[in-house]
Amino acid sequence: MSQAPDVTDRRRHTAPARRGRSRTRQITPRTHWLLLSVLTVTLATALLLQGYTHHMFGITSDDASGARGRSEAVPRQVTHGGPVIANAAGTAHTARVKARTVALTFDDGPDPVWTPRILDVLRRNHVHATFFVVGTQAVAHPELVRRIVAEGHQIGIHTFTHPDLSRLAPWQRSLELRETQLAVAGAAGVTTALLRPPYSSENDMLDDADWSVLRQAGAAGYVTVLSTRDAGDWQRPGTDRVLARATPHGHAGQIVLMHDGGGDRSQTVAALGTLVPRLKARGFTFATVSDAVGMAPPVRSAGLGDHLQGLALIRVLQGGDWLVWLLGLLMYAAGAISVLRAVVVLIAARRHRRLRTASRGASWGPPVTEPVSVIVPAYNESAGIEAAVRSLLASDHPVEIIVVDDGSTDGTANLVESLRLPVRVIRQQNAGKPAALNTGLAAATHDLVVMVDGDTVFDSDTVGAIVQPFADPHVGAVSGNAKVVNRGGLLGRWQHIEYVVGFNLDRRLFDLAECMPTVPGAVGAFRRRALLELGGVSDVTLAEDTDLTMALCRDGWRVVYEEGAVAWTEAPASLNALWRQRYRWCYGTLQAMWKHRGALVQRGAAGKLGRRGLVYLLLFQVLLPLLAPVVDVFAVYGLFFLDPVRIVGLWLAFLLLQLLMGLYAFRLDGERPGPLWSLPLQQFVYRQLMYLVVIQSVFTAVSGSRLRWQRMERYGSLRAPVAAETPDDGHGLPRQDPGSAHPAPYDGPPRRTPYDGVPAQAPYGDAPVPAGHGGGFPRQRPYEPLRQPAPYGGVPREAPYDPYQQPAPYDAHPLPDPYGGVPREAPYDPHQRQAPYDSRQQPPPHPGHWQPGHHETTRPY
């Protein structure tokens, strides 16, 4: 299942914790993984044990063992001897029942319904019998085993799971007998030497395979008890037939086989009530097996060790029964929550689309044409900052671009300045993304502010589209439509599916319900005065965008979604990078939810956020991912131990639900559905990774740990929009899909700059960047399915709005070539790969431009 946006749709930069706070406990992720591994192994062991004991074998009719084989190895004295066989491993000898004596024996119990009724009949008639118990039944009903012993009856074992012992390996036979013995010892504190193998009958029915079982049992000290009369109650032929088969002919002693478990035993109870008085009237006596053949008592008190082991076995298996019941309950709960979410999201998305379509062009009010300040916080963004800035300058809406370099060590600020574009560059020591955003807010000159990450490019109409909702004076923030640009490979496709199906569908729901919890850092617009009223961007959580959005909602502002404002962002290209990113997103969201929990009891807009947005996040983005692995675990359990056809059918139904959601979401977003072919594979890898992210985040939050900042890798796959630029064309640039573009990444290792001596106190990365390495991560091959035409070829376009009266971006000064080649002219050529920027080669100062040596200071928030 796809993750919804607000636990996972976060941008990569966050701020460090404020200095001076009390220190929290530091528990490394390794501890969490150790605990999770122990829980996983314990769960797997419990399920394997439960599956083996309850589903590998089981009680079936006594004729289910198949045809009889050869009997050449069975001794003649056994074939023609008595039904009680001792010392089968050596010189076997048998014993017959005394004349006019009947030993009643009951197999397959104890059963919670029929065993008590049979015991009641025996007690009324003052008769003792022998019960051959199945280990799993003894574990499930230990109180009945204790009652059998307490009322003077004899206990024998009938294996643990009722398999055909002749078809098992020797080690499995020993396991079956040993575990049953422990179950009896734990339940009643006794051990027994009596054994009746499942599916056994009379002596002359033994074959060579059966004899091998008896020999192994004899070597372990067991006495095998067969039968002389089979009541046939397992066939349920009727009470009269059961009675007739159990009644002896003549005066010879008999061992009568009956059953107190394994199914409906009402006929057995009825026949027994008639059989005992009738045989007593004929002069028969009733005895246990040992008394009937005159052998030493086979039942003895169990040792302390066996008793304790038996108790442990009973508790473990009973816990396994409870665990399977709980897993089944959680599976149904997770399934119900998943279906509920799918239905709610699809209905909301359809209604959202209808409302937007019906009122298109007049939904917000008069067109918003006022200039916009665009703030780009940047830390070591040299790989994509040029494409990001050029895409913003290509906007068909007047913009003021402010790049806040937060102590980069790879020459990001120098690279932007060397482009000689109408862009304002502000440098500051590294303080984190919230501090960089607050610096940009202080420097902005317009009331409408767009925030965009340095790894994101805009379409030409993105800025114009995202600010139109501000025609409504109640709108304080607008979320744009973030899309994945590097969609190559399975991981790229899976994230593309997640962005379209999970994030954007949920945003439509939040917009409709007026409880938008997150404006993503990749593409969001705000009223500057609304942010200043809040005191700027807070750094108390790792998800500053979610924290800020929730604060705006609680302050009474409406936050909406504009799907037409498209931004293209780089997604992680490795599982390791993806884990780090989503772990921080999820953890930061949990922090923000806890910080704004007071919205649950507030009224107005804050109440909508609390009772709609926060409840939705808790239910579908925390509880559901915590429960969802249960579905996978139970599915694997069912494939091995339950009905695999039913399990596969349920999984296919779930997959069909996901596919239908995907098709509808792709249609809403105008995307081709081709990537959805990888959806089944996503269920086996990507979905589980997202569940583990949530589990790990919850562990971290509960333990009170402080999460470190993770550095995102940059791949250079971003490109500015395609256009033939002409001044004042009035139409902007046509939209295109950068994901289908042939990128020209910023190549080569970044050079050390004069500014990289500033210590990276709290970077957006995992650790301080080593000097001279520009981040320490190798840059990967960009996504390049197609080649696009040059967006900046032709006549240069004038800046749409220039608040600082800067000169045209493409002046006559050639830019220096870092490697000493032919100087590169100012116009941007996307077909030619640029050499990496060398911060040692400083561009000549330009009048009115922000120069490398100048730093702008702003009032901190």
Side-chain angles (χ1 to χ4, degrees):
M1 287 173 285
S2 301
Q3 295 292 306
D6 302 286
V7 167
T8 54
D9 194 12
R10 302 289 169 271
R11 302 313 307 149
R12 55 187 178 77
H13 299 321
T14 53
R18 290 176 180 171
R19 296 183 178 90
R21 289 186 186 161
S22 60
R23 300 181 65 181
T24 58
R25 288 190 299 124
Q26 296 295 325
I27 299 180
T28 64
R30 183 176 302 172
T31 304
H32 298 154
W33 282 121
L34 178 61
L35 178 60
L36 186 59
S37 299
V38 171
L39 292 175
T40 302
V41 171
T42 303
L43 177 62
T45 303
L47 291 178
L48 285 174
L49 184 60
Q50 193 72 10
Y52 177 85
T53 56
H54 287 72
H55 302 292
M56 284 295 290
F57 303 104
I59 300 172
T60 57
S61 299
D62 283 358
D63 61 350
S65 60
R68 179 171 176 263
R70 302 176 65 179
S71 58
E72 297 175 354
V74 182
R76 183 176 178 83
Q77 67 269 26
V78 172
T79 303
H80 299 284
V84 179
I85 306 169
N87 197 28
T91 304
H93 61 271
T94 65
R96 297 182 185 274
V97 180
K98 302 172 185 177
R100 291 184 179 274
T101 302
V102 173
L104 294 174
T105 62
F106 297 91
D107 292 0
D108 297 348
D111 183 272
V113 175
W114 305 113
T115 300
R117 297 186 184 183
I118 289 174
L119 289 173
D120 291 342
V121 173
L122 297 176
R123 184 178 58 199
R124 286 196 301 267
N125 289 276
H126 307 288
V127 169
H128 290 152
T130 302
F131 289 80
F132 291 94
V133 298
V134 176
T136 53
Q137 292 297 105
V139 167
H141 311 288
E143 72 284 353
L144 292 179
V145 180
R146 289 192 289 269
R147 179 181 172 182
I148 290 171
V149 174
E151 294 186 2
H153 302 287
Q154 205 164 67
I155 285 286
I157 65 173
H158 198 47
T159 71
F160 198 74
T161 61
H162 203 274
D164 184 352
L165 292 176
S166 64
R167 300 184 180 184
L168 298 184
W171 69 269
Q172 286 181 284
R173 299 172 186 172
S174 298
L175 181 64
E176 287 282 335
L177 302 183
R178 175 60 178 166
E179 296 306 297
T180 312
Q181 199 71 259
L182 287 178
V184 173
V190 299
T191 60
T192 179
L194 299 182
L195 164 67
R196 173 171 285 164
Y199 311 107
S200 61
S201 182
E202 301 176 7
N203 293 51
D204 58 1
M205 295 298 294
L206 292 173
D207 60 17
D208 292 344
D210 297 327
W211 182 243
S212 68
V213 173
L214 269 60
R215 285 177 58 84
Q216 183 177 349
Y222 287 98
V223 175
T224 302
V225 180
L226 302 179
S227 63
T228 58
R229 296 200 68 82
D230 184 356
D233 56 345
W234 49 272
Q235 294 177 323
R236 291 194 288 273
T239 301
D240 293 340
R241 291 288 295 168
V242 172
L243 181 60
R245 291 180 179 180
T247 302
H249 301 292
H251 303 292
Q254 304 290 336
I255 294 181
V256 180
L257 170 60
M258 305 181 83
H259 296 82
D260 66 326
D264 183 357
R265 297 299 176 229
S266 58
Q267 296 177 10
T268 304
V269 175
L272 187 63
T274 303
L275 176 67
V276 174
R278 179 180 295 180
L279 291 182
K280 281 187 174 183
R282 290 176 52 185
F284 280 87
T285 59
F286 292 88
T288 62
V289 167
S290 63
D291 292 340
V293 299
M295 65 179 288
V299 179
R300 300 180 180 180
S301 296
L304 180 61
D306 285 344
H307 181 59
L308 293 178
Q309 290 182 58
L311 287 175
L313 176 66
I314 291 173
R315 295 294 180 266
V316 168
L317 291 181
Q318 287 180 340
D321 291 338
W322 178 85
L323 178 63
V324 170
W325 174 84
L326 179 61
L327 287 178
L329 181 64
L330 293 178
M331 183 187 70
Y332 285 116
I337 292 175
S338 300
V339 173
L340 175 63
R341 175 181 178 270
V343 172
V344 170
V345 168
L346 289 176
I347 292 177
R350 181 175 177 83
R351 178 170 175 78
H352 183 270
R353 183 187 184 188
R354 286 183 174 179
L355 290 176
R356 287 295 176 86
T357 302
S359 56
R360 187 173 300 279
S363 56
W364 305 113
V368 175
T369 58
E370 61 183 279
V372 176
S373 296
V374 181
I375 303 173
V376 187
Y379 175 79
N380 288 348
E381 297 287 1
S382 60
I385 192 67
E386 179 177 353
V389 169
R390 290 189 183 276
S391 74
L392 294 172
L393 288 173
S395 173
D396 55 13
H397 193 93
V399 293
E400 168 199 24
I401 302 175
I402 303 173
V403 175
V404 182
D405 183 272
D406 190 46
S408 297
T409 60
D410 67 344
T412 297
N414 293 349
L415 174 60
V416 176
E417 290 172 336
S418 71
L419 300 176
R420 298 189 176 278
L421 299 174
V423 177
R424 188 177 181 185
V425 179
I426 302 176
R427 302 171 185 262
Q428 66 178 29
Q429 289 190 358
N430 181 257
K433 184 180 180 182
L437 291 173
N438 287 330
T439 298
L441 280 175
T445 60
H446 304 298
D447 185 54
L448 298 184
V449 175
V450 173
M451 297 181 181
V452 55
D453 287 334
D455 63 344
T456 304
V457 297
F458 277 13
D459 283 347
S460 60
D461 58 355
T462 298
V463 175
I466 202 171
V467 299
Q468 294 311 308
F470 290 113
D472 183 345
H474 299 96
V475 173
V478 183
S479 169
N481 185 349
K483 292 179 177 290
V484 174
V485 66
N486 50 332
R487 303 176 182 179
L490 280 178
L491 191 59
R493 289 188 181 92
W494 291 340
Q495 292 179 86
H496 170 46
I497 293 173
E498 183 184 27
Y499 270 66
V500 175
V501 179
F503 301 162
N504 291 338
L505 276 184
D506 277 353
R507 287 198 184 97
R508 289 179 168 88
L509 170 64
F510 292 137
D511 190 3
L512 193 65
E514 299 182 9
C515 60
M516 184 78 67
T518 301
V519 173
V523 52
F526 304 86
R527 289 191 191 273
R528 182 171 178 267
R529 61 185 176 88
L531 300 185
L532 296 181
E533 289 172 0
L534 295 175
V537 183
S538 172
D539 66 348
V540 299
T541 71
L542 296 185
E544 78 290 329
D545 47 4
T546 298
D547 186 7
L548 180 62
T549 307
M550 291 182 177
L552 286 170
C553 290
R554 296 186 68 184
D555 203 37
W557 293 99
R558 185 182 174 192
V559 182
V560 300
Y561 173 56
E562 177 51 62
E563 63 268 26
V566 177
W568 304 89
T569 186
E570 278 189 332
S574 67
L575 287 177
N576 185 41
L578 178 66
W579 171 271
R580 296 199 309 270
Q581 181 197 62
R582 300 309 174 85
Y583 182 25
R584 183 180 56 76
W585 286 4
C586 183
Y587 183 80
T589 298
L590 293 176
Q591 288 179 309
M593 291 172 63
W594 180 254
K595 176 182 177 182
H596 296 283
R597 63 190 183 278
L600 290 168
V601 296
Q602 290 181 294
R603 296 182 178 181
K608 292 179 181 178
L609 170 70
R611 289 182 290 276
R612 298 177 186 178
L614 295 185
V615 170
Y616 182 93
L617 292 180
L618 179 64
L619 185 62
F620 296 115
Q621 304 308 316
V622 178
L623 293 182
L624 180 59
L626 292 177
L627 294 179
V630 174
V631 178
D632 299 330
V633 171
F634 207 83
V636 175
Y637 176 82
L639 287 175
F640 284 96
F641 300 115
L642 302 177
D643 182 6
V645 176
R646 179 168 170 248
I647 296 299
V648 172
L650 290 174
W651 184 83
L652 290 176
F654 173 78
L655 182 62
L656 178 62
L657 178 64
Q658 295 294 309
L659 181 61
L660 292 176
M661 287 184 62
L663 289 172
Y664 188 66
F666 270 60
R667 180 183 175 187
L668 288 179
D669 254 29
E671 295 281 352
R672 291 175 296 181
L676 290 175
W677 70 264
S678 64
L679 189 61
L681 297 176
Q682 186 190 45
Q683 307 302 307
F684 290 107
V685 180
Y686 191 84
R687 188 165 56 94
Q688 283 75 13
L689 181 66
M690 296 300 103
Y691 296 157
L692 291 176
V693 165
V694 176
I695 293 172
Q696 175 78 355
S697 300
V698 171
F699 269 113
T700 306
V702 171
S703 68
S705 300
R706 179 83 57 193
L707 187 63
R708 297 185 305 168
W709 314 110
Q710 287 92 23
R711 181 187 187 277
M712 284 298 297
E713 300 177 30
R714 292 289 165 255
Y715 314 106
S717 55
L718 299 174
R719 293 304 307 237
V722 175
E725 297 184 15
T726 55
D728 301 326
D729 56 6
H731 300 288
L733 300 176
R735 178 177 300 179
Q736 53 96 30
D737 183 348
S740 302
H742 176 73
Y746 180 73
D747 265 348
R751 307 284 180 150
R752 187 182 178 106
T753 74
Y755 304 96
D756 61 7
V758 178
Q761 299 174 3
Y764 308 140
D766 201 22
V769 181
H773 289 78
F777 288 88
R779 189 164 286 115
Q780 302 186 13
R781 181 177 178 83
Y783 173 64
E784 45 178 328
L786 297 172
R787 177 175 291 275
Q788 66 179 9
Y792 292 99
V795 181
R797 179 183 171 205
E798 296 181 359
Y801 180 75
D802 190 356
Y804 304 106
Q805 298 298 319
Q806 298 182 11
Y810 306 123
D811 59 357
H813 297 285
L815 300 180
D817 187 341
Y819 296 110
V822 179
R824 179 168 62 90
E825 297 296 332
Y828 176 65
D829 184 358
H831 291 292
Q832 182 171 352
R833 296 175 62 87
Q834 301 175 21
Y837 177 73
D838 188 349
S839 59
R840 295 173 297 184
Q841 298 287 338
Q842 298 292 339
H846 194 279
H849 195 67
W850 291 94
Q851 299 184 16
H854 294 173
H855 299 265
E856 178 160 329
T857 59
T858 60
R859 179 174 59 86
Y861 285 84

